[in-house]
């Protein structure tokens, strides 16, 4: 049984995966099998659904600026279409001979193929969505890198104006993503990192304020204040980098590393 | 979003097809 790494993909494909597995088992146990019913109508419904997916898939490809999606999605669409053709062939063969063994094989290959190709397609789409979140995370990293050169209150205000909306977006999107993951360990890491980021953000801003006050008064301790600020910025960057790493993981990666 | 809806429709259609095919086999077991 395939493992789906988001709850959305799981909810779409898990029921059909179970049905396909059952069909394979029934086929093996029944050996020569019973006469198959006329499958023309349900196969037609699948073919129409596949044509619609191909249309929507092509629109998604054309409307996306994501090069990886543009490269990977057509392959999945071709696989869905090929599997649909297998079902049409199986249906035609079964009309001639309801006991046909090769037709049953095509039926199993076709339905299994549709399941796998749809899974690949949804994964491709999902990975593209993850790349959008990662892009936002990288924007936060870019802003954090600027923290070291902020030396006036005006610059700090601008820094906050830039960072805040971006950080809010990352928080919102990573939080939603965490709820979507079927892999509990990955979800927990994201929650932990996000909590750290939320805790560190106001402390970092405070440390930047302290640094600015110290250098404005020309007082002692500027070096220590800068060190403290840099440490906090680095800690936040580390947490964001960990979020990026975990966002890219799938259950499959984890199983392989184990 | 449209992709998800289209995938849902395919999953439901494939499920119905496989169920119909399974029903005939199940009678034998």
């Amino acid at each position: 049984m395939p493992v789906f790494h988001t709850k959305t993909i799981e909810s779409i494909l898990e029921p059909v995966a179970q049905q396909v597995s059952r069909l394979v088992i029934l086929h093996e146990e029944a050996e020569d099998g019973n006469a198959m019913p006329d499958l023309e109508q349900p196969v037609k419904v699948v073919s129409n659904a596949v044509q619609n997916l191909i249309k929507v898939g092509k629109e998604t490809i054309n409307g996306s600026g994501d090069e990886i999606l543009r490269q990977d999605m057509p392959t999945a669409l071709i696989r869905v279409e090929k599997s649909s053709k297998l079902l049409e062939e199986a249906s035609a063969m079964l009309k001639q001979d309801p006991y046909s063994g090769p037709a049953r094989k095509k039926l199993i290959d076709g339905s299994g193929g549709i399941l796998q190709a749809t899974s690949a397609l949804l994964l491709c789409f999902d990975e593209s969505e993850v790349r959008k979140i990662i892009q936002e995370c990288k924007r936060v990293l870019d802003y954090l890198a600027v923290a070291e050169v902020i030396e006036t209150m005006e610059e700090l205000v601008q820094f906050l104006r830039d960072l805040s909306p971006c950080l809010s977006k990352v928080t919102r999107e990573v939080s939603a993503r965490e709820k979507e993951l079927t892999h509990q360990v990955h979800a927990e890491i994201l929650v932990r990192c996000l909590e750290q980021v939320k805790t560190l953000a106001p402390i970092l801003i405070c440390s930047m304020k302290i640094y600015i006050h110290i250098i404005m008064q020309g007082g002692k301790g500027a070096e220590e204040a800068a060190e403290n600020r840099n440490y906090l910025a680095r800690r936040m960057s580390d947490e964001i980098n960990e979020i990026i790493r975990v966002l890219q993981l799938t259950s499959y990666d984890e199983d392989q590393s184990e | 979003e449209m992709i998800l809806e289209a995938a849902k429709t395919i999953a439901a259609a494939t499920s119905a097809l496989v169920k119909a095919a399974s029903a005939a086999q199940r009678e034998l077991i």
Side-chain angles (χ1 to χ4, degrees):
Chain A
M1 191 69 69
V3 177
F4 305 108
H5 85 282
T6 74
K7 288 175 188 168
T8 300
I9 298 180
E10 186 179 59
S11 72
I12 295 172
L13 296 179
E14 182 72 22
V16 68
Q18 282 182 12
Q19 291 287 345
V20 172
S21 298
R22 208 167 295 147
L23 179 67
V24 173
I25 294 165
L26 287 169
H27 177 71
E28 283 167 0
E29 288 181 1
E31 292 183 351
D32 287 342
N34 212 345
M36 279 282 185
D38 184 1
L39 296 174
E40 190 184 349
Q41 197 48 38
V43 165
K44 207 179 240 174
V45 177
V46 174
S47 299
N48 289 342
V50 166
Q51 285 314 311
N52 181 51
L53 180 75
I54 289 167
K55 182 176 155 277
V56 172
K58 281 181 180 165
E59 283 167 8
T60 305
I61 293 164
N62 292 334
S64 172
D66 183 336
E67 277 308 310
I68 301 173
L69 178 138
R70 291 172 70 90
Q71 193 183 307
D72 291 352
M73 202 175 257
T75 316
L77 287 176
I78 290 167
R79 280 173 64 196
V80 180
E81 195 166 30
K82 273 187 183 166
S83 302
S84 171
K85 289 276 174 283
L86 284 179
L87 293 179
E88 286 168 18
E89 285 168 22
S91 165
M93 286 163 79
L94 286 168
K95 251 187 189 286
Q96 299 292 319
D97 174 11
Y99 293 92
S100 166
R104 287 157 199 268
K105 171 108 182 30
K106 271 185 196 274
L107 191 68
I108 287 171
D109 290 347
S111 49
I114 285 194
L115 172 67
Q116 284 170 10
T118 310
S119 172
L121 186 99
L122 290 177
L123 193 64
C124 178
F125 177 70
D126 185 67
E127 284 170 350
S128 170
E129 294 298 299
V130 167
R131 281 191 289 276
K132 287 181 195 167
I133 307 175
I134 290 174
Q135 235 170 13
E136 288 302 316
C137 289
K138 286 187 174 165
R139 280 183 65 195
V140 171
L141 286 178
D142 288 343
Y143 287 130
L144 288 174
V146 173
E148 289 188 19
V149 296
I150 305 293
E151 297 201 325
T152 66
M153 283 309 282
E154 288 73 25
E155 286 172 356
L156 181 61
V157 168
Q158 188 56 48
F159 175 81
L160 277 174
R161 269 197 201 125
D162 294 335
L163 179 68
S164 298
C166 198
L167 197 56
S168 299
K169 198 171 178 193
V170 163
T171 306
R172 202 169 52 243
E173 289 180 353
V174 173
S175 178
R177 182 68 186 171
E178 164 269 308
K179 290 177 184 69
E180 256 290 291
L181 293 179
T182 53
H183 200 293
Q184 199 53 36
V185 177
H186 295 173
E188 281 166 12
I189 298 172
L190 289 182
V191 170
R192 208 168 53 234
C193 291
L194 217 47
E195 283 309 311
Q196 285 293 314
V197 169
K198 284 187 210 165
T199 308
L200 287 166
I203 308 176
L204 169 70
I205 304 307
C206 197
S207 76
M208 291 170 78
K209 256 189 218 166
I210 291 171
Y211 173 76
I212 292 166
H213 278 302
I214 289 176
I215 58 166
M216 275 171 68
Q217 287 161 6
K220 283 182 186 171
E223 203 175 315
E224 289 84 350
E227 265 175 33
N228 187 41
R229 174 203 60 198
N230 295 349
Y231 166 76
L232 289 161
R234 205 164 45 244
R235 283 265 322 266
M236 262 184 89
S237 298
D238 288 347
E239 298 296 342
I240 299 282
N241 275 317
E242 179 66 357
I243 287 174
I244 292 174
R245 186 186 76 81
V246 175
L247 283 175
Q248 288 171 314
L249 289 178
T250 61
S251 314
Y252 180 71
D253 297 328
E254 180 87 354
D255 294 342
Q256 266 198 334
S257 67
E258 276 165 8
Chain B
E1 289 301 310
M2 298 256 291
I3 282 265
L4 296 179
E5 283 309 312
K8 270 183 205 169
T9 313
I10 285 195
T14 309
S15 231
L17 165 69
V18 174
K19 252 186 208 170
S22 300
Q25 300 298 101
R26 203 172 292 129
E27 286 169 16
L28 275 189
I29 297 169

